Amino acid sequence: MSRAEAWRARLARVTAPLEPWLPALRVARFALAVALVVAMGVLAVRDVPSRDVTWSLMAPAVAIAVAWWVLLARIWAILVSGRPTAADVGTWCRTQVLRYIPGGIWAPTSRVAVVRGSAVDRVATVAAENLVALCAALAIAGVALTASGRPAWAPLLLTALVPHALLRLLGERSRLEDRRVARALAEGLAGFVAYAACAVLVQAAVSGWHDELRVAGAAALAWGAGLVVVFAPGGVGIREVAYVGLLASSFPHRDLVAAAVVMRAVTIAAELLVLVVAGRPPAVAESKSSRRFAAFDDANDPSES
């Protein structure tokens, strides 16, 4: 028996007494995750300035934000198993809530713990997820800002090549491969096109239609800043400050602050919707059925005889 197999066997013996309680623990964890997202949403809505907002644009903004959130989850699912399974999407949605806990490391750390594979494989998968999302956001920012007449941002387009370059350094030591990384990056690029479009709708709802490409680029770039500054829970504050600073010469300060806060509320609403639908824990009956099949497989495993 290898060292990893021995470790898993010891862990299984320790956790065996908790087996009957796992369905209830999953439900409790899910309820806590929903409560945390709701609390963040309440705080965001409370800070929305009292001013004229074109509320008719909020419904499509939330819908587009939902698409962005699902595409982020699919990045993780593709890197883990090669295809976006419902189980992997649900795992990402539930663990992603932990980013609101101060420290900024709990969401990726939890995914390192739940994903299967060697230590290198686990860390590489979680690192690749964040790298793909960051590079996708920066690449979309580069496209939008360059198209808005600011060619100085064009080098950001090269960030789309970074995930494949770093993949070469890993070689054969992880589950990651060109096909998975390419597909995950495509999902990320599509996701941040949606995120940028959502930001344009939100800014238009606050200040009217103006300089849309620059808004799109600033929003994607600000999201990347929030991801990199890990000590800010969920990028709160960092993302908003970056967004306001990047657009300071194009919009009144109060319009930018209002749009940044509304954007935060919209993305939290989208996260809550996806969490409730896709992040639900497995049904109790399904869990019991899985255990029965596992027991049957163990009883009929020739290697055990």
Side-chain angles (χ1 to χ4, degrees):
M1 180 183 292
S2 68
R3 181 178 300 178
E5 290 172 336
W7 184 85
R8 284 195 291 269
R10 287 196 297 270
L11 182 63
R13 286 194 296 271
V14 171
T15 58
L18 297 175
E19 191 78 9
W21 300 96
L22 287 180
L25 290 173
R26 291 191 187 102
V27 172
R29 182 183 63 183
F30 175 69
L32 181 61
V34 171
L36 184 57
V37 177
V38 169
M40 293 300 295
V42 169
L43 291 174
V45 171
R46 186 186 64 182
D47 291 337
V48 172
S50 177
R51 51 169 299 130
D52 292 334
V53 175
T54 306
W55 294 107
S56 61
L57 294 177
M58 290 299 100
V62 171
I64 294 173
V66 165
W68 162 69
W69 198 250
V70 171
L71 287 165
L72 284 186
R74 285 168 62 92
I75 292 174
W76 162 258
I78 289 167
L79 292 173
V80 169
S81 57
R83 57 191 180 91
T85 66
D88 290 330
V89 168
T91 296
W92 186 88
C93 291
R94 291 189 296 273
T95 56
Q96 187 66 358
V97 173
L98 298 177
R99 75 192 188 285
Y100 290 125
I101 299 176
I105 63 169
W106 306 114
T109 300
S110 65
R111 287 199 279 280
V112 169
V114 301
V115 72
R116 296 178 180 178
S118 66
V120 172
D121 214 9
R122 295 179 179 208
V123 173
T125 302
V126 174
E129 175 220 344
N130 286 279
L131 181 65
V132 166
L134 176 62
C135 291
L138 295 180
I140 294 302
V143 170
L145 290 171
T146 301
S148 72
R150 295 163 180 82
W153 294 102
L156 287 179
L157 295 170
L158 298 176
T159 56
L161 304 176
V162 172
H164 287 287
L166 292 183
L167 180 62
R168 298 288 182 270
L169 298 178
L170 285 174
E172 302 295 327
R173 288 176 291 176
S174 81
R175 65 167 59 88
L176 301 177
E177 56 185 3
D178 279 327
R179 183 181 59 83
R180 289 193 188 191
V181 172
R183 188 175 177 187
L185 183 60
E187 299 275 345
L189 292 170
F192 280 99
V193 168
Y195 183 85
C198 178
V200 169
L201 284 175
V202 170
Q203 189 66 60
V206 172
S207 57
W209 298 98
H210 172 58
D211 214 352
E212 291 85 0
L213 285 171
R214 189 177 183 191
V215 170
L221 190 58
W223 186 91
L227 180 67
V228 171
V229 183
V230 295
F231 61 80
V236 174
I238 302 300
R239 207 158 282 157
E240 288 76 12
V241 169
Y243 180 79
V244 171
L246 287 165
L247 294 173
S249 63
S250 297
F251 296 88
H253 181 78
R254 63 195 296 268
D255 286 358
L256 291 173
V257 171
V261 175
V262 172
M263 183 67 178
R264 173 68 66 174
V266 165
T267 55
I268 290 174
E271 177 183 0
L272 180 60
L273 289 172
V274 177
L275 177 63
V276 169
V277 174
R280 290 175 297 175
V284 174
E286 180 184 334
S287 179
K288 290 180 178 179
S289 175
S290 298
R291 289 201 297 273
R292 283 198 298 269
F293 279 116
F296 177 82
D297 289 342
D298 290 343
N300 292 274
D301 188 350
S303 66
E304 297 297 326
S305 59

